[in-house]
């Protein structure tokens, strides 16, 4: 049997062990409740991954083309978020 490979946000849920400071866990529970705890963590992790992938892309672009302005970087982040939120697609991490 071959192993399936999933992209970020794809595939069945899998259990993982996660250690958080108690204060952080309590703050999440108060904000979203026990039933939505995992969804909250998943969304936060995916948001962080998206940011890291974009940072990698922008760093690669700047290595090839030179520095971009802060305004262009912010616009790239906005477009990146809009496009991938609409399509539900994830870019490939390098």
């Amino acid at each position: 049997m071959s192993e399936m490979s999933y992209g970020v946000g794809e595939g069945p849920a899998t259990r993982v062990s996660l250690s958080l400071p108690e204060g952080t866990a309590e703050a999440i529970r108060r904000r979203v409740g026990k039933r939505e705890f995992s969804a909250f963590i998943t969304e936060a992790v995916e948001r962080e991954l998206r940011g890291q992938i974009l940072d990698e892309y922008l760093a690669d672009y700047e290595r090839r083309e030179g520095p971009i302005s802060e305004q262009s970087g912010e616009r790239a982040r906005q477009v990146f978020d809009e496009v991938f939120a609409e399509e539900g697609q994830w870019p490939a991490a390098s």
Side-chain angles (χ1 to χ4, degrees), residues 5-74:
S5 179
Y6 300 104
V8 176
E10 299 176 338
T14 186
R15 287 191 167 270
V16 296
S17 176
L18 175 69
S19 297
L20 294 172
E22 184 58 35
T24 302
E26 277 302 312
I28 295 168
R29 284 186 203 103
R30 281 192 306 269
R31 182 167 295 275
V32 300
K34 288 173 85 171
R35 295 181 58 109
E36 297 299 319
F37 192 93
S38 290
F40 182 90
I41 297 297
T42 298
E43 289 173 17
V45 169
E46 288 181 2
R47 198 168 37 250
E48 177 66 19
L49 285 169
R50 234 185 350 263
Q52 288 183 9
I53 291 167
L54 178 59
D55 289 345
E56 291 169 4
Y57 172 79
L58 291 175
D60 177 63
Y61 182 89
E62 287 186 322
R63 273 192 300 278
R64 291 181 289 111
E65 303 294 331
I68 62 172
S69 69
E70 186 176 327
Q71 182 180 15
S72 293
E74 287 305 312

